Amino acid sequence: MADGKACEVSNPCALRNGGCQHYCSLKAGLPVCSCREGYVLNKTNQASCVDHNECLQSKDHNCQQRCVNLEGSYRCDCYAGYEKNDLGQCIDINECAVDNGGCGAKAQCINTAGGSRCTCPVGYKLTQDRKSCAELKDNCKPFEAPRNAEVRCTRSRHKTQLFYRSKCFVTCKKGFKLHGPAVRHCNGTGEWDEGESICVPLACPKLNRPENGVILPVACTAGKIFANERCVLHCKPGFKPAAKRTAVCSLAQTWVPGDNLRCVPLDTPTVTPKPTATTTTTTTAPVAIKPYIQCPPDIHEVLPMGQYTMKVRMERPTTNVDWHKYVDSHPPWGKQLEVELPAGETIVTFRARSPTSNVNDVCRVVIKIRERKPPTVVHCPESFEVQLERNEPSRSVFWTEPKFESGTEIKQLYKSNTPGQPLPAGVHYINYIATDSDGLSANCNFRVVVKGPPAEVMEPRRPPHTGGPRPAEMNRLENHESYLI
């Protein structure tokens, strides 16, 4: 310095690299920081360096397919199905060169860009795994109608036989509901496509339990009575049926002649006018009338799908007084016997008043409307395989049965098979269908593949060598359609 006592720094970069992380250079006597290749200067402090992601913009890298950013650099990779050559270029891998690309014995492997596919020769078609070939057998066996169902099939190229692409339409008889596919197709393997069409019987609505009586059989009040089955009302001593004592479940799932099976007292009072003997005017004391009123059964309805309210109609209560003059209700709309209600519970109270006294009688109707929700499947087994041993034609196969839950009663549970049932070799489709009291269902389907016993390969006998060419001998394999030569 001018005073000759202090030192002056002539190159700021020489002291702690000018505060720079990588490079320091002088510009107009001041330190300026810069970074190595692959890094950029931190815009906040203009001194430290951060990694530059070259993969964000194509102009910053020369990768052909995939760019992978590294600290201060990057790496070029290839897509699946490609590999690098000596020049670092991505070229297609010929998957067909190894093990026929995973294709089956009858299949041909076709190499494609980044992959491969399997094709089958004429007379064969690819199976579901898209790897193996199955022989086309376009003549399916006659399709048998499921129980309680009718079948109508289209014909392909022949008036009586069912060939490839023939279709059979399944319809259930009246009083039954179809579960499963309504159309079955003859596929290219000479088999009908997967799935099972089942017709499940429909039940009539359950009857309300009567007071002072019982309806038999007990299934009548549980919603488990089907078409053409009968329910009979039995009243306690001192009571009689209000109308008919029997009801029959029709094919349309309605009760005939009706569902009004209830009991009323034998001495139900009635009011009849007394005839006058003469035209002479006489004064008589008014007859005291004890009113009574009998409400119809409680109403249980299910809200239709997609609706928030529904119209409910009630039967008029039975009474011995004038309905219009001496009967009132709470809520007041109850006397209209028709109302639009949402889901929930509503109580309608009817009161019958005596015309000649302060005596009255009361009855109530409970209207319950609930939302329609199908059952849910809590547990459904996975498909599994079973291997038969030699000389074992079938095996009892067990599984944990599915579990269903429902907001209402599970009215019916259909099982196509039961655990422990002997199953021979083949593919068995197990179906469970749970139906609730609303007629809504939930399905559980799984598959049991029972593999046949392993074939015992017999070594062919070798005849004595006679010096000439050995003739070809054929030994048929047990339980197999091929031969050893």
Side-chain angles (χ1 to χ4, degrees):
M1 297 285 296
D3 58 5
K5 295 182 180 180
C7 297
E8 184 180 46
V9 178
S10 60
N11 185 3
C13 291
L15 181 63
R16 298 186 184 87
N17 199 31
C20 301
Q21 183 180 357
H22 286 177
Y23 301 126
C24 178
S25 60
L26 291 176
K27 186 174 182 181
L30 298 175
V32 177
C33 298
S34 59
C35 298
R36 295 194 295 267
E37 184 179 2
Y39 294 85
V40 293
L41 199 63
N42 190 328
K43 295 181 180 180
T44 303
N45 55 30
Q46 296 293 318
S48 61
C49 297
V50 295
D51 176 59
H52 171 55
N53 189 349
E54 297 86 355
C55 297
L56 294 179
Q57 296 185 9
S58 58
K59 65 182 180 63
D60 293 339
H61 66 85
N62 60 352
C63 294
Q64 182 182 357
Q65 291 187 351
R66 179 179 294 151
C67 176
V68 180
N69 185 55
L70 303 175
E71 182 69 24
S73 182
Y74 65 92
R75 181 183 74 242
C76 295
D77 286 346
C78 297
Y79 296 141
Y82 293 84
E83 62 182 356
K84 288 183 180 180
N85 61 10
D86 296 338
L87 300 178
Q89 299 171 326
C90 292
I91 59 174
D92 176 60
I93 299 175
N94 185 3
E95 292 86 357
C96 297
V98 179
D99 196 25
N100 197 29
C103 299
K106 294 285 186 181
Q108 178 186 1
C109 179
I110 304 296
N111 186 50
T112 60
S116 64
R117 60 185 177 88
C118 303
T119 61
C120 296
V122 177
Y124 292 82
K125 65 172 289 185
L126 279 176
T127 57
Q128 290 185 350
D129 62 4
R130 312 303 296 173
K131 296 288 185 181
S132 305
C133 293
E135 185 179 0
L136 285 172
K137 300 177 182 178
D138 61 352
N139 188 3
C140 286
K141 295 179 181 179
F143 186 79
E144 296 184 3
R147 188 177 178 182
N148 300 311
E150 296 177 350
V151 172
R152 178 178 59 85
C153 298
T154 62
R155 306 292 177 180
S156 176
R157 309 198 314 268
H158 199 276
K159 291 183 179 180
T160 58
Q161 296 186 21
L162 299 172
F163 285 90
Y164 176 48
R165 291 183 179 175
S166 294
K167 294 187 293 186
C168 288
F169 301 88
V170 182
T171 54
C172 292
K173 296 179 181 178
K174 197 168 185 179
F176 295 86
K177 180 180 179 182
L178 177 65
H179 288 273
V183 182
R184 304 291 297 275
H185 298 83
C186 175
N187 58 39
T189 60
E191 300 290 339
W192 295 100
D193 51 8
E194 292 186 6
E196 185 176 5
S197 303
I198 306 165
C199 290
V200 179
L202 292 174
C204 276
K206 63 180 180 180
L207 295 171
N208 292 314
R209 291 182 175 87
E211 296 182 3
N212 304 308
V214 65
I215 299 177
L216 296 178
V218 293
C220 298
T221 54
K224 296 182 179 179
I225 294 295
F226 303 100
N228 297 323
E229 293 183 335
R230 182 184 303 270
C231 295
V232 181
L233 172 66
H234 299 270
C235 294
K236 294 180 180 178
F239 295 86
K240 64 181 179 179
K244 297 289 186 180
R245 65 186 300 265
T246 61
V248 179
C249 180
S250 70
L251 293 176
Q253 289 76 58
T254 58
W255 292 105
V256 178
D259 59 356
N260 185 22
L261 298 184
R262 57 191 181 90
C263 299
V264 296
L266 288 174
D267 57 348
T268 300
T270 57
V271 178
T272 56
K274 294 183 178 180
T276 56
T278 63
T279 58
T280 305
T281 302
T282 58
T283 303
T284 57
V287 178
I289 299 176
K290 182 180 179 181
Y292 82 91
I293 187 166
Q294 179 72 41
C295 283
D298 293 340
I299 299 174
H300 297 267
E301 295 288 350
V302 181
L303 198 64
M305 298 291 287
Q307 295 187 20
Y308 298 99
T309 61
M310 67 175 297
K311 183 172 291 187
V312 178
R313 293 182 175 88
M314 296 179 287
E315 296 180 20
R316 179 190 288 188
T318 304
T319 181
N320 63 338
V321 298
D322 190 295
W323 168 261
H324 301 285
K325 290 183 179 181
Y326 301 111
V327 176
D328 52 32
S329 67
H330 179 78
W333 50 257
K335 286 195 67 174
Q336 300 175 10
L337 303 177
E338 183 175 289
V339 66
E340 191 86 13
L341 291 175
E345 180 176 304
T346 304
I347 299 177
V348 183
T349 303
F350 293 94
R351 184 183 64 164
R353 295 175 283 109
S354 172
T356 59
S357 66
N358 294 327
V359 179
N360 58 58
D361 191 18
V362 174
C363 69
R364 293 177 177 86
V365 176
V366 179
I367 303 173
K368 292 183 179 180
I369 301 176
R370 56 183 177 81
E371 296 183 9
R372 183 188 296 262
K373 293 182 180 179
T376 56
V377 182
V378 179
H379 165 72
C380 186
E382 299 287 340
S383 299
F384 61 94
E385 296 182 353
V386 175
Q387 177 67 59
L388 295 179
E389 302 295 335
R390 286 180 181 172
N391 301 323
E392 187 181 18
S394 63
R395 179 179 297 179
S396 296
V397 181
F398 295 85
W399 58 83
T400 302
E401 292 198 286
K403 294 182 180 179
F404 300 88
E405 286 185 353
S406 175
T408 63
E409 179 187 8
I410 297 294
K411 182 183 62 177
Q412 185 178 26
L413 180 62
Y414 169 83
K415 307 176 185 181
S416 62
N417 301 81
T418 56
Q421 178 178 342
L423 298 179
V427 181
H428 304 271
Y429 297 97
I430 313 300
N431 299 293
Y432 282 73
I433 303 173
T435 306
D436 62 15
S437 56
D438 297 333
L440 299 179
S441 302
N443 300 342
C444 169
N445 306 305
F446 59 97
R447 184 173 59 183
V448 178
V449 180
V450 181
K451 294 186 175 181
E456 183 178 357
V457 180
M458 304 294 294
E459 290 291 337
R461 298 179 182 177
R462 297 184 178 275
H465 183 65
T466 57
R470 183 173 61 87
E473 295 183 356
M474 301 176 61
N475 290 327
R476 182 169 182 174
L477 296 179
E478 182 181 1
N479 297 327
H480 206 278
E481 293 297 329
S482 58
Y483 297 83
L484 281 178
I485 296 179

